[in-house]
Amino acid sequence: MNDIKAFSIVSSEFVSPLFPSKGEDVKLSVAFSSAPDAVFIKYDTDMGLVFMKEMEKDGKVNGAVKFSQTVPVTTDGEKFRWFFVFFKDNKSYYVGKKGITRYTPGQSDRFSIIPSLEAPEWVASSTCYQIFPDRFCNGDPRIGAKEGEYEFDGGSVTTPKWTDEPKDWNESRCCDFYNGDLKGIEEKADYLSDLGITAVYLNPIFSSKSVHRYDTVDFSHIDEKLGGDEALVRMVETLHKKGIRVILDISINHTGLDAIWLKKAREDKNSDEHDFYYFNEDGSVACWQDVKTLPQLRYSSSLLRNYMFRNDDSIMKKFLLPPFDIDAWRLDVAPEVGRRGEDQLCKDVWREVRTEMHKVKKDVYLVGEDWDDTAPYMDGDIWDGTMNYYGAGRPLRSWMGQRDRFLSEGTGHSAGEEEPWNGEEESEGLMEALNSVSDQNVFFQMNLFDSHDTPRLHNDKAIFDRDIYKGVVMALYMLPGMPNLYYGDEVLLEGKLGSNEGARYPMEWRDEYQDKDMLSFYSAMGEARKEEWLGFSSYSVMPLDEKAFAILRFVEGKALVSVINRGDSREVSLPQFLLPSKKISVVVGDGKVTRECDSFRIILKDKESLLIRLEN
């Protein structure tokens, strides 16, 4: 092949428009390091055939020769797929998601788009901040839980001091209220904005008995301990003025034992609410995963669907509409909703949820909680994205040398150590996850490595290294999609391994206890993500050597490159293919970068990662 290189991807640079309607013409492109003898595109049609059309030279993208062709999007109700063919020196080659091959790419390796996809385009350029409301900030001391106010699940309400360490579950029973509230979040709007945050994700805030509030008592109202309905209205208004969107967490899978629906169901077996739940042979309510405080909801009930998401005044529509006006729903235990025994209604429920929510807001964001490969739910008719443990958190933790959550004791709460992934393994792991989901949905993934359900990575003292950790954060911010920062990570908030409670310490607001160096680093990464072109830009992940890999984001004339390093001081080489090279600057880090022929020479310091800006 004379070492010819080829590249294409579903991005603003290679697919225009990126979200076409059925019947619309779309310009599809591929780039080469040097021009082949001829280039063709093979694409789907509504007849089920694959047409082949010759492509024309279309200028260059950062020095690479670009070929383009405009074709009609004719498929309806399914993906529109294509791949490229080129000839060089009397040989034929193909270009698909795996790069150049001599064989025809299979369906999963072809580029694809979903015609007429209603997409929350704001997500791609957002930076999110997850807040566990009880532990973030107390803004109104007049409200909140009161010591001994009630008993729940074998415990009694306690109100520790903000500086007290949370007790384990067997002592607290999730009744230890630090009384963070919505007013407190509102008061920290400037803090969030200065950190580069443009979206916040709040764990549940509906009326509940526990600290985590996944045991909802009444979906129709905000917990008075957090300030009630009016506090949410004021908070959303304040955050929106700052350009910060709001994502609320909802678990339509279950309620709490004290739920108003369950009380009616128990009082009257002939009530509508009785059909909302599953009941065991002994008359007891059936609970999700046998967690006795979380009775599972039954979606074979049409009336339950009406109340939850169908009706104009349904719960999920109510909070999208004024005066609440939230922007998105995070969907708790999403792959398990509607599943019990013969009822296997999960996809059916979520498809209907999506249809109903889009009647209210076309750009509503629906992000599911799923810890595994979510490809079956990411074909444009169910979720927009997922909490991307599979494609971000799990491989990035492996880069640090932490054993995968599902290979560790306590489902990851007691993390184990193992040999860290090398540069090639990390690149392959990240790209495998990116290639798994629908190409457009890559930009709507909620990328994260910490959350309320997993130990904070920096609290794993056995593997924590400040400089390597910064590289992990840099990678998180550079992956396509929306990075999600768990509150307190930016100041290295204290915590411990062993249980969920260890990841839910109260936010540290005292200057002397905050890690200002890490706070500055997170702020710098937040600032870098403000580049207007970044959201739907092209991307690539490539190994540089055993202990370094790079994440590339680029459009014509501009690029950001993160070099993620956990090795000693040394030089690495980055190919120049598809990258501009006239202006080179290091945005984050102290290393040096120079251009040498068709590559960049990068001088790395010990364990230091770099963020590099390239321009033509």
Side-chain angles (χ1 to χ4, degrees):
M1 277 193 300
N2 297 321
D3 294 324
I4 192 170
K5 298 177 182 178
F7 180 88
S8 188
I9 206 160
V10 175
S11 70
S12 59
E13 189 73 54
F14 291 89
V15 179
S16 179
L18 189 54
F19 299 97
S21 301
K22 178 184 180 294
E24 188 173 0
D25 286 345
V26 59
K27 183 179 179 181
L28 304 174
S29 304
V30 59
F32 296 91
S33 55
S34 59
D37 298 331
V39 183
F40 295 82
I41 182 172
K42 300 191 79 170
Y43 60 94
D44 289 343
T45 73
D46 55 1
M47 299 295 291
L49 304 175
V50 179
F51 277 14
M52 184 165 167
K53 201 170 186 179
E54 187 166 7
M55 304 183 74
E56 300 177 354
K57 281 187 182 180
D58 187 30
K60 294 188 176 184
V61 50
N62 298 328
V65 182
K66 189 177 182 182
F67 285 76
S68 299
Q69 184 55 260
T70 298
V71 301
V73 177
T74 55
T75 57
D76 191 15
E78 58 186 56
K79 291 181 180 178
F80 175 78
R81 291 182 170 88
W82 69 93
F83 57 92
F84 305 99
V85 183
F86 71 92
F87 295 89
K88 184 71 175 178
D89 299 332
N90 200 33
K91 289 184 179 180
S92 58
Y93 301 91
Y94 298 90
V95 181
K97 294 170 76 171
K98 288 184 177 179
I100 298 175
T101 62
R102 291 300 307 275
Y103 56 85
T104 303
Q107 291 286 338
S108 63
D109 294 326
R110 299 177 186 184
F111 305 105
S112 67
I113 52 177
I114 301 167
S116 305
L117 179 67
E118 292 182 342
E121 297 187 29
W122 57 270
V123 174
S125 56
S126 294
T127 301
C128 191
Y129 189 92
Q130 180 185 347
I131 295 174
F132 195 81
D134 184 70
R135 306 292 163 85
F136 185 63
C137 180
N138 177 263
D140 189 349
R142 299 171 301 172
I143 63 173
K146 311 300 181 186
E147 189 81 18
E149 183 177 350
Y150 57 83
E151 294 184 353
F152 174 74
D153 194 23
S156 179
V157 171
T158 60
T159 54
K161 295 179 181 178
W162 196 260
T163 53
D164 288 347
E165 180 179 313
K167 294 180 179 179
D168 290 336
W169 177 83
N170 58 351
E171 292 184 76
S172 69
R173 313 294 288 194
C174 290
C175 291
D176 51 339
F177 288 87
Y178 286 77
N179 284 331
D181 53 32
L182 300 186
K183 177 65 174 176
I185 298 171
E186 181 184 354
E187 290 180 350
K188 296 300 181 180
D190 287 337
Y191 173 85
L192 296 170
S193 183
D194 291 343
L195 195 56
I197 301 303
T198 55
V200 294
Y201 152 41
L202 274 59
N203 287 110
I205 59 175
F206 300 110
S207 299
S208 307
K209 289 293 185 71
S210 74
V211 166
H212 57 70
R213 294 187 170 87
Y214 285 100
D215 57 314
T216 304
V217 171
D218 184 358
F219 284 106
S220 60
H221 292 291
I222 305 306
D223 200 324
E224 291 295 335
K225 296 188 289 295
L226 293 171
D229 293 355
E230 288 302 315
L232 176 61
V233 172
R234 291 192 298 270
M235 185 203 75
V236 173
E237 288 178 348
T238 298
L239 293 178
H240 278 179
K241 288 177 182 178
K242 286 286 184 181
I244 300 173
R245 297 182 188 253
V246 178
I247 305 167
L248 290 191
D249 199 337
I250 189 168
S251 186
I252 71 169
N253 177 70
H254 50 257
T255 67
L257 279 175
D258 295 295
I260 55 175
W261 290 342
L262 185 56
K263 287 183 178 180
K264 291 180 180 179
R266 283 173 164 164
E267 290 169 358
D268 183 2
K269 291 184 178 181
N270 296 316
S271 65
D272 292 329
E273 288 78 7
H274 193 271
D275 287 340
F276 290 4
Y277 295 91
Y278 297 92
F279 288 90
N280 300 314
E281 290 184 4
D282 63 0
S284 61
V285 67
C287 295
W288 169 75
Q289 297 282 15
D290 294 327
V291 179
K292 65 179 183 179
T293 56
L294 302 177
Q296 186 171 356
L297 289 167
R298 179 173 170 266
Y299 281 93
S300 53
S301 167
S302 181
L303 191 57
L304 172 61
R305 296 191 188 205
N306 290 344
Y307 285 176
M308 191 64 80
F309 51 77
R310 277 180 182 162
N311 291 347
D312 290 343
D313 60 350
S314 63
I315 291 155
M316 293 188 74
K317 288 180 179 177
K318 170 182 176 178
F319 288 96
L320 289 176
L321 293 166
F324 302 103
D325 201 26
I326 70 164
D327 303 282
W329 287 113
R330 182 266 188 183
L331 311 168
D332 184 51
V333 296
E336 300 179 56
V337 169
R339 298 185 188 274
R340 194 174 190 92
E342 293 182 357
D343 283 352
Q344 295 297 316
L345 306 170
C346 186
K347 289 186 177 181
D348 174 64
V349 169
W350 289 128
R351 286 189 180 103
E352 191 170 6
V353 167
R354 181 181 183 85
T355 297
E356 292 298 331
M357 295 308 102
H358 278 251
K359 292 177 181 178
V360 177
K361 282 189 177 179
K362 295 297 185 184
D363 66 346
V364 61
Y365 179 43
L366 300 175
V367 54
E369 180 201 12
D370 194 333
W371 292 72
D372 204 349
D373 182 4
T374 57
Y377 299 91
M378 300 280 279
D379 281 335
D381 60 341
I382 300 181
W383 310 328
D384 298 300
T386 58
M387 297 185 75
N388 199 15
Y389 295 103
Y390 174 76
R394 290 167 65 186
L396 290 176
R397 284 172 174 262
S398 294
W399 175 253
M400 282 280 289
Q402 188 178 87
R403 179 160 288 169
D404 188 78
R405 174 187 178 95
F406 296 106
L407 302 177
S408 304
E409 295 181 1
T411 58
H413 292 294
S414 299
E417 299 174 62
E418 66 177 29
E419 185 72 22
W421 286 8
N422 62 38
E424 184 173 353
E425 292 165 341
E426 188 69 25
S427 299
E428 288 180 351
L430 291 170
M431 283 305 300
E432 177 69 19
L434 288 166
N435 287 334
S436 178
V437 301
S438 294
D439 292 344
Q440 292 156 303
N441 291 88
V442 162
F443 299 105
F444 308 130
Q445 291 284 59
M446 179 187 275
N447 299 320
L448 75 167
F449 56 77
D450 281 349
S451 76
H452 63 292
D453 276 336
T454 190
R456 295 179 187 268
L457 183 56
H458 68 263
N459 290 156
D460 189 348
K461 305 305 181 185
I463 65 167
F464 178 71
D465 179 287
R466 172 182 291 268
D467 293 323
I468 299 176
Y469 178 82
K470 285 183 176 180
V472 169
V473 175
M474 184 179 290
L476 184 77
Y477 273 60
M478 283 291 290
L479 287 170
M482 177 176 68
N484 183 48
L485 161 62
Y486 187 41
Y487 82 96
D489 278 358
E490 73 275 19
V491 295
L492 296 187
L493 181 64
E494 284 297 318
K496 60 183 180 181
L497 307 187
S499 69
N500 283 331
E501 281 66 35
R504 300 174 181 178
Y505 277 44
M507 177 62 179
E508 183 56 78
W509 294 111
R510 296 171 295 178
D511 280 352
E512 62 271 27
Y513 290 95
Q514 291 186 335
D515 192 307
K516 296 298 185 181
D517 170 69
M518 195 60 70
L519 179 61
S520 296
F521 178 79
Y522 269 97
S523 297
M525 291 307 305
E527 186 65 27
R529 275 193 56 84
K530 293 179 181 178
E531 298 275 6
E532 291 184 4
W533 56 268
L534 189 63
F536 293 108
S537 62
S538 302
Y539 59 88
S540 180
V541 185
M542 65 175 63
L544 300 179
D545 63 17
E546 281 287 303
K547 295 188 177 181
F549 68 96
I551 301 177
L552 285 56
R553 302 295 303 276
F554 62 91
V555 293
E556 170 60 25
K558 299 177 181 179
L560 283 177
V561 176
S562 55
V563 177
I564 313 303
N565 169 45
R566 58 174 172 78
D568 298 334
S569 301
R570 67 197 187 286
E571 294 181 9
V572 295
S573 179
L574 174 70
Q576 188 191 318
F577 178 53
L578 293 168
L579 295 175
S581 60
K582 291 183 179 179
K583 295 174 66 177
I584 305 171
S585 58
V586 177
V587 180
V588 177
D590 295 321
K592 295 182 179 180
V593 183
T594 57
R595 180 188 175 191
E596 291 192 353
C597 298
D598 58 352
S599 66
F600 296 98
R601 176 171 170 258
I602 302 171
I603 301 175
L604 296 171
K605 291 189 175 182
D606 186 29
K607 299 179 183 177
E608 185 180 46
S609 298
L610 300 179
L611 182 63
I612 304 162
R613 179 179 286 112
L614 303 171
E615 298 175 88
N616 274 338

